[in-house]
Amino acid sequence: MEPSTVPNPAIRSPHPSLQPSMQPTPIKSVLDDTALTNTTLTVAGWVRTFRNDRFIALNDGSTIRNLQCVIDQEQVDAAMRARFTTSAAVKCTGVIVESKGSGQRVEMQVIAVEVLGDSDAEKYPIQPKKHSLEFLRENAHLRFRTNTYSAVFRIRHQVSFGIHEYFDQQGYNYFHAPILTASDAEGAGEMFRVSVLDAKSPPLNDAGDVDFREDFFGRESRLTVSGQLQAELAALALGKVYTFGPTFRAENSNTARHLAEFWMIEPECAFMDLHGDMDLAEGLCKHLIARVLKNSMDDLQFLDARLKEEEATKPKEQRSEMGLIDRLKFVLDNPFERITYDDAINILLRSKPFQKGQFQFPVEWGIDLQSEHERYLVEKHFKKPVIVTGYPAKIKAFYMRTNAPGDFGYSDKGKTVAAMDVLFPGIGEIIGGSQREERLDVLEARMKDMNVPAEELWWYLDTRKFGTVPHAGFGLGLERFVLFVTGMGNIRDVIPFPRTPKSAEF
Ligand code: 4AD
Ligand code: MG
């Protein structure tokens, strides 16, 4: 614990009443550090509630817990007390004493109090009561001040930091792939165009089409859907790299699991096969869960209780068997199930929902697994995370390695590739990855097959010409993972400012 009274010369507060020597002590420290009991210190935060004209529940974001600041009515006049409205910014100096009330170990006997920023109770949209998540989404600029969202975003930080920690420990280099690109890595064509051309009257070529030669980059360019292809170039020199950045997809899916802008982590490793790839992915998930269990227990307990309340409103058969924290511990303690696509299809064909015609989408060899199928495998059949390998080549990207007899995931039903998807309870696909096709001739044939323009990807193909080696990698969707660890149900609630079809407010 650093002494809170030592000024940090690097911190210059813009607010005149917060002098460097008066840096407030984080409320988390006040509540946790017994050495601070019976000392005088200053805290600053936002009022959650003001009770009995005496008790301010103050929250500064350092923890989900509030500090109870007890006001002496003789020292603080009624006009001042009227300003302790929800979300007013307040600075309190006082003595930390053992609390007489239940619910907290310590509280502050306030000696001096100052309102740094008033909050008009009539106009402030978020009252100290339970609001719907939809309502809070419309007030996304203020929702961080609620328990739910502050917990979610503290956990998002823990996950993000844990990602860097894990890869650093494993010898990976953090690699920054470009966001502006002229290539379509996934071949899905669902990309946002980036252009400086006049939208109303763009220059046209002889054929009457927009002439992108006159555009900023002299060619059609877009926001990236993946940093993988560039990460592969780096992995074939640095050995191990990972990207961690924003990713954009213009797919028109208005679901609880899709965003138009999301964050993806893409490790890429030379001399690694599909088994190593699965080990790396499982290791990452477990590292992150362990870190959140270690560092975010307060927030998890709050979210666990929140989830329980929400589950109680559902019909019995839809309720999950485990609470949030139990679920995290369970995933941490048990190996993920590793099956082939063939196995997955066979299990689905034998399943009750299939036999009873309850699946919305058909099941047969060759289909892309739908979320309902993924969730059946994970939630009903195996009851734990599942890694599926050996998907049909037809439904996967061009860069995945073609399986031969003997390869894990090879099938006699049709051509498969060394793909692997990690499926999680409540969500479905959380990670998609593969061993990459390192054989130039096989890769070129597959690109031709899938109409991927080889001329545009000459630089990618060069790696297969000069010192090609087996390598593998995957992409983890940050928000999908945060959904899992927070128990939230909608991806819009785990990214600060969600971008979805027809929505880019804030
Ligand atoms: O399976 P995807 O499309 O894989 C790739 O992009 C590969 N280039 C990854 C690689 O091998 N390096 O996406 C990877 C993950 C998905 O499993 C999912 O978690 C997340 O990214 N994801 C999305 N998350 C939120 N909104 C969307 N629209 C997403 N699309 C994919
Ligand atoms: Mg995928």
Side-chain angles (χ1 to χ4, degrees), residues 309-436:
E309 241 174 67
E310 200 181 89
E311 291 277 305
T313 65
K314 291 186 189 165
K316 211 167 191 176
E317 63 281 3
Q318 282 176 29
R319 287 180 211 164
S320 59
E321 290 161 29
M322 274 184 232
L324 177 63
I325 295 171
D326 286 344
R327 206 187 299 163
L328 294 181
K329 287 184 175 157
F330 181 84
V331 170
L332 183 62
D333 293 341
N334 290 283
F336 295 3
E337 194 72 33
R338 298 182 183 189
I339 61 168
T340 64
Y341 174 87
D342 277 10
D343 299 334
I345 293 295
N346 288 333
I347 292 166
L348 291 170
L349 288 173
R350 285 197 303 264
S351 72
K352 249 196 214 143
F354 177 75
Q355 309 259 332
K356 289 189 179 168
Q358 287 163 342
F359 284 136
Q360 196 190 332
F361 294 91
V363 179
E364 60 183 349
W365 202 96
I367 59 148
D368 201 357
L369 297 182
Q370 298 294 325
S371 157
E372 59 178 356
H373 306 140
E374 296 174 342
R375 292 185 60 175
Y376 174 83
L377 292 170
V378 171
E379 289 160 34
K380 296 282 185 297
H381 191 83
F382 290 109
K383 296 183 190 290
K384 57 171 153 168
V386 176
I387 310 182
V388 182
T389 59
Y391 283 82
K394 251 197 282 175
I395 58 169
K396 289 292 185 187
F398 73 91
Y399 49 70
M400 298 191 179
R401 192 175 196 279
T402 301
N403 282 326
D407 289 335
F408 185 41
Y410 173 79
S411 173
D412 51 18
K413 298 204 173 65
K415 196 163 110 178
T416 62
V417 287
M420 65 116 189
D421 276 7
V422 181
L423 315 179
F424 260 45
I427 294 161
E429 180 192 336
I430 205 158
I431 288 178
S434 74
Q435 186 171 335
R436 317 306 187 190

Side-chain angles (χ1 to χ4, degrees), residues 186 226 228 249 251 259 264 266 429-430 432 436 474-475 477:
E186 293 304 298
S226 161
Q228 177 195 324
R249 298 209 179 165
E251 48 193 341
L259 291 164
M264 187 154 49
E266 297 188 278
E429 180 192 336
I430 205 158
R436 317 306 187 190
F474 62 79

Side-chain angles (χ1 to χ4, degrees), residues 94-119:
V95 189
I96 302 305
V97 297
E98 274 171 30
S99 178
K100 294 180 204 83
S102 62
Q104 62 272 323
R105 189 179 60 79
V106 290
E107 62 191 19
M108 175 183 273
Q109 292 291 348
V110 175
I111 299 166
V113 56
E114 190 183 335
V115 175
L116 303 176
D118 286 289
S119 170

